[in-house]
């Protein structure tokens, strides 16, 4: 008879028959003496051999039961159910035990099993995350930002190198390349996450590469001298320059400080495109490029792996067969990849998500400031907040380099258009129309009556990176603009990214006049408070920020990109021509 059968004696719940034996520390199945069975588990006694008469054998069994009963006195007794009311219709035969006793045992077993599975799963997830963390390669660059903030605008430099390491990559061009900055995109994500701008910087842009510092393996810092009139792509790899040198070159060219970098090689393109199941691309005519080995029919196609890399590398199939038209192809690819990575098809597929996580963490080299899975996840989630229609792709405005004498060989920054684009990014201004109502409300600050310049009282502080900016501004305001009631009070308590003008409610007329004189944007005006100047009179507080470009130069950035600068957005696919 099984344990449940034995448990029917005296109407004892089988789940209550498992009790702790204080001598062994184990749970054992104990039955009442009337059940007539030995405890389970426990040492079984050898059966008594018959001595000739049945009575003796029966006596031996009785003696055996007595000894087991004596042993069981050391174990706590069982709980007994309250006896049920007599049932007149019941016979001598005992009723079957209720099913919930079996269910209770089953629940105890499955509950314990589920707890074990959940703990094991949590441990597996932890180990997998540790594994992904170990996939990430980092470089300790000088000048990179320490950590990532979710509450600020951020500038991320994406670098694609032409390094030929990895299986199947030796045949691409210069197999001995040290890894130059072949593809460069400065990704600016706005503070309010309503928009982002991806600024492509041509590799053949001729620039002055500044001196930069690189960190050695022993922790020491070495300075690498700058060079003039060089292609931008030599800011990486040449003379052992690291991505920190490329970040410094971006600031030299654009005036925009780069917070972090992500670097990828040929393998990254292949693995990432395959991880999402291919990337949708479009060409306006059939392509058969013997150099890149790209073959595509006219219209839309899905590329991945080697074919995706060929799509990005080809330069003889589109436009003027130069780097500028290849940049347009790269922008199309990245926009499509971004849409695919954030699509429901990818996000709801455990297989694709796992492949993507493996590919992304193995493919990227990042600065130590974001060199963890947690930080990379935060960046991805913040970028995901930006609607694709407000992610703008734009190429640095350039003109042919007059020193070449050859069209489309190298280019230089367009001195007329480029500063406007750089200023918009630096001032966190969207290239697309976002939050029209909020913009209208801000612009309203500049509308209304304005005081005479001679009535404007203002204290000036320098929170910019320009030494003597407060004194320059004071001299210009007093001598040129007639703002005689102005005072400069030296450096501000801290550096500011943008110029601000704080004023009391009754000074709105003065604020509008000073904004008009200095070319301040509406966002610079901060209603709230004033302070007493050296004559004890209320004065507005003007704090010059990093957007200060010199006394007399308007602080405000353009409200939209120049009309003749070509741009596209991530929500649309433009077929490459």
């Amino acid at each position: 008879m099984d344990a449940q059968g034995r448990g029917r004696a005296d109407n004892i719940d089988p789940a209550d028959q498992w009790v702790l034996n204080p001598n062994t520390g184990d749970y054992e199945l104990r039955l009442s003496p009337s059940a007539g069975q030995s405890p389970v588990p426990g040492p079984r006694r050898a059966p008594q051999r018959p001595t000739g008469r049945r009575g003796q054998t029966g006596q031996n069994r009785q003696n055996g039961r007595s000894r087991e009963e004596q042993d069981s006195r050391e174990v706590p007794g069982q709980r007994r159910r309250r006896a049920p009311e007599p049932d007149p219709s019941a016979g001598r035969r005992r009723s079957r035990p209720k099913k919930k006793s079996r269910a209770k045992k089953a629940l105890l077993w499955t509950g314990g099993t589920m707890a074990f599975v959940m703990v094991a799963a949590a441990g597996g997830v932890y180990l997998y995350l540790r594994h992904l963390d170990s996939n990430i390669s980092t470089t300790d660059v000088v000048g990179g930002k320490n950590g990532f903030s979710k509450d600020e605008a951020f500038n991320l430099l994406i670098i694609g190198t032409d390094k030929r390491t990895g299986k199947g990559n030796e045949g691409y061009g210069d197999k001995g390349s040290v890894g130059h900055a072949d593809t460069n995109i400065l990704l600016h994500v706005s503070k309010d996450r309503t928009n982002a701008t991806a600024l492509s910087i041509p590799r053949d842009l001729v620039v002055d590469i500044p001196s930069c510092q690189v960190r050695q393996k022993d922790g020491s810092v070495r300075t690498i001298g700058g060079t003039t009139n060089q292609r931008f792509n030599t800011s990486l790899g040449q003379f052992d320059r690291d991505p920190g040198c490329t970040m410094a070159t971006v600031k030299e060219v654009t005036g925009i400080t780069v917070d972090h970098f992500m670097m990828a090689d040929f393998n990254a393109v292949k693995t990432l495109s395959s991880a999402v199941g291919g990337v949708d691309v479009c060409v306006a005519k059939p392509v058969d490029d013997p150099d890149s080995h790209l073959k595509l029919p006219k219209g839309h196609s899905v590329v991945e792996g080697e074919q995706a890399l060929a799509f990005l590398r080809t330069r003889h199939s589109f436009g003027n067969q130069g780097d500028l038209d290849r940049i347009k192809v790269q922008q199309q690819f990245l926009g499509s990849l971004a849409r695919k990575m954030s699509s429901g098809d990818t996000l709801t597929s455990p297989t694709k998500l796992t492949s993507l996580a493996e590919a992304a963490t193995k493919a990227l080299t990042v600065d130590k400031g974001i060199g963890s899975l947690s930080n990379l996840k935060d960046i991805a989630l913040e970028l995901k907040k930006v609607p694709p229609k407000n992610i703008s792709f734009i190429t640095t405005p350039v003109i042919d380099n007059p020193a070449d004498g050859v069209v489309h060989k190298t280019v230089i920054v367009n001195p007329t258009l480029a500063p406007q684009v750089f200023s918009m990014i630096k001032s966190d201004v969207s290239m697309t129309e976002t939050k029209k109502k909020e913009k209208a409300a801000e612009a309203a600050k500049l509308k209304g009556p304005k005081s005479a310049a001679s009535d404007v009282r203002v204290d000036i502080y320098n929170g910019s990176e320009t030494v003597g900016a407060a004194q320059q501004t004071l001299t210009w305001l007093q001598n040129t603009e007639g703002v005689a009631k102005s005072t400069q009070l030296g450096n501000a308590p801290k550096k500011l990214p943008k110029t601000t003008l704080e004023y009391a409610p009754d000074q709105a007329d003065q604020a509008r006049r000073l904004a008009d004189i200095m070319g301040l944007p509406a966002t610079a005006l901060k209603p709230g408070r004033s302070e007493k100047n050296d004559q004890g009179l209320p004065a507005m507080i003007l704090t010059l920020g990093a957007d200060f470009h010199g006394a007399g130069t308007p602080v405000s950035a353009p409200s939209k990109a120049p009309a003749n600068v070509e741009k596209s957005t991530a929500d649309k696919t433009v077929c490459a021509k």
Side-chain angles (χ1 to χ4, degrees):
M1 185 183 294
D2 62 10
Q4 290 183 350
R6 291 193 296 268
R8 294 170 186 158
D10 297 327
N11 200 27
I12 297 172
D13 187 344
D16 291 334
Q17 292 175 278
W18 293 89
V19 294
L20 179 68
N21 187 333
N23 295 328
T24 64
D26 295 328
Y27 280 90
E28 297 178 356
L29 179 65
R30 289 297 183 189
L31 307 178
S32 66
S34 62
Q37 301 293 337
S38 59
V40 180
R44 296 188 177 219
R45 298 182 181 277
Q48 297 289 334
R49 297 180 65 85
T51 57
R53 289 187 300 175
R54 294 178 183 270
Q56 290 176 331
T57 303
Q59 184 64 43
N60 288 340
R61 288 175 181 162
Q62 182 64 39
N63 290 342
R65 184 184 304 124
S66 298
R67 284 193 298 271
E68 290 168 354
E69 290 170 0
Q70 184 177 0
D71 292 340
S72 68
R73 293 191 192 105
E74 299 175 5
V75 182
Q78 305 146 337
R79 299 195 308 269
R80 296 179 181 271
R81 293 178 180 167
R82 178 179 294 178
E85 294 295 329
D87 184 357
S89 63
R92 291 185 178 183
R93 195 172 178 181
R94 295 185 184 276
S95 61
R96 297 174 63 86
K98 295 182 179 179
K99 288 186 177 181
K100 78 172 186 178
S101 62
R102 294 189 181 185
K104 185 174 180 181
K105 285 184 68 179
L107 187 60
L108 289 171
W109 167 249
T110 56
T113 303
M114 283 301 296
F116 173 78
V117 170
M118 291 175 69
V119 170
V125 170
Y126 172 75
L127 292 176
Y128 184 63
L129 294 179
R130 287 286 301 272
H131 159 71
L132 291 178
D133 248 335
S134 67
N135 283 348
I136 303 170
S137 300
T138 61
T139 298
D140 189 6
V141 298
V142 177
K145 196 170 184 178
N146 184 23
F148 175 73
S149 173
K150 299 179 183 179
D151 303 319
E152 299 174 354
F154 63 91
N155 298 314
L156 174 68
L157 181 62
I158 302 170
I159 306 172
T161 76
D162 58 357
K163 199 168 186 178
R164 268 65 174 172
T165 55
K167 183 178 179 181
N169 295 330
E170 312 85 19
Y172 297 135
D174 180 13
K175 65 180 180 181
S177 173
V178 294
H180 294 115
D182 195 52
T183 300
N184 309 277
I185 298 176
L186 177 61
L187 178 64
H188 169 81
V189 180
S190 69
K191 182 177 181 179
D192 61 8
R193 306 302 189 247
T194 62
N195 65 91
T197 300
L199 176 71
S200 292
I201 302 174
R203 68 173 190 175
D204 293 331
L205 180 67
V206 174
V207 298
D208 291 340
I209 299 175
S211 60
C212 59
Q213 293 182 317
V214 296
R215 201 173 300 281
Q216 309 287 83
K217 290 183 179 180
D218 61 1
S220 62
V221 174
R222 179 169 69 93
T223 300
I224 299 175
T227 53
T228 59
N229 294 321
Q230 299 293 318
R231 279 181 167 89
F232 183 92
N233 69 338
T234 60
S235 63
L236 177 69
Q238 202 79 4
F239 309 121
D240 295 327
R241 292 181 177 124
D242 69 4
C245 296
T246 307
M247 292 165 65
T249 305
V250 170
K251 184 173 183 180
E252 180 77 11
V253 174
T254 66
I256 301 167
T257 300
V258 181
D259 301 314
H260 304 287
F261 82 88
M262 287 184 181
M263 184 169 64
D265 58 15
F266 286 173
N267 288 320
V269 175
K270 294 190 286 188
T271 56
L272 285 174
S273 60
S274 296
V276 297
V279 176
D280 299 316
V281 298
C282 181
V283 292
K285 59 183 179 181
V287 174
D288 187 358
D289 186 351
D291 292 327
S292 66
H293 308 296
L294 177 67
K295 291 185 178 182
L296 289 177
K298 177 182 176 180
H300 291 266
S301 299
V302 176
V303 297
E304 64 175 285
E306 293 288 347
Q307 195 177 30
L309 180 60
F311 182 77
L312 291 177
R313 291 189 64 251
T314 190
R315 60 187 299 171
H316 299 298
S317 302
F318 308 116
N320 59 24
Q321 302 186 12
D323 190 47
L324 296 180
D325 283 289
R326 182 168 67 166
I327 285 175
K328 297 176 185 177
V329 173
Q330 293 168 351
Q331 291 172 346
Q332 179 198 145
F333 180 89
L334 289 174
S336 182
L337 177 61
R339 291 193 299 272
K340 192 67 177 287
M341 289 173 68
S342 61
S343 69
D345 181 51
T346 299
L347 297 178
T348 57
S349 169
T351 302
K352 285 186 178 180
L353 279 176
T354 302
S355 298
L356 185 58
E358 288 284 354
T361 52
K362 287 179 180 178
L364 298 175
T365 298
V366 301
D367 60 281
K368 279 200 169 181
I370 56 172
S372 71
L373 188 63
S374 175
N375 280 328
L376 294 179
K377 176 208 69 175
D378 287 343
I379 289 175
L381 291 177
E382 292 303 301
L383 184 57
K384 193 175 185 300
K385 295 177 182 178
V386 183
K389 67 178 182 179
N390 291 335
I391 300 178
S392 301
F393 289 97
I394 190 169
T395 302
T396 301
V398 295
I399 57 176
D400 286 330
N401 185 5
D404 287 338
V406 179
V407 177
H408 305 315
K409 181 179 180 182
T410 61
V411 293
I412 60 173
V413 169
N414 185 317
T416 303
L417 301 181
Q420 298 181 50
V421 173
F422 300 157
S423 179
M424 290 182 69
I425 295 174
K426 190 174 181 179
S427 301
D428 201 20
V429 177
S430 175
M431 299 285 175
T432 59
E433 290 296 325
T434 60
K435 292 194 170 183
K436 292 183 179 180
K437 291 183 179 180
E438 288 83 349
K439 286 185 176 182
E442 283 293 322
K445 292 181 181 178
L446 299 177
K447 295 180 180 179
K450 301 173 185 177
S451 299
S454 58
D455 293 332
V456 173
R457 285 190 300 271
V458 61
D459 287 344
I460 308 167
Y461 295 87
N462 184 13
S464 73
E465 299 176 354
T466 304
V467 177
Q471 182 59 49
Q472 291 177 31
T473 302
L474 176 70
T475 302
W476 173 71
L477 286 175
Q478 289 183 339
N479 298 341
T480 305
E481 300 298 327
V483 185
K485 299 175 182 177
S486 52
T487 308
Q488 76 91 2
L489 297 177
N491 291 330
K494 62 179 181 179
K495 302 291 184 183
L496 293 182
K498 297 180 180 181
T499 297
T500 61
L501 176 62
E502 298 179 77
Y503 57 94
D506 61 351
Q507 294 174 313
D509 295 2
Q510 296 181 45
R512 284 190 284 266
R513 172 57 67 189
L514 188 60
D516 187 46
I517 292 172
M518 296 189 62
L520 296 176
T523 53
L525 275 60
K526 307 294 181 185
R529 70 184 184 95
S530 62
E531 67 181 16
K532 295 291 181 66
N533 64 11
D534 52 5
Q535 283 87 37
L537 298 172
M540 298 184 296
I541 306 167
L542 174 66
T543 306
L544 303 174
D547 55 357
F548 172 80
H549 302 298
T553 302
V555 173
S556 60
S559 58
K560 59 182 180 180
N564 48 351
V565 171
E566 189 175 352
K567 65 181 177 66
S568 60
T569 53
D571 63 322
K572 297 177 182 178
T573 298
V574 179
C575 294
K577 298 179 181 179

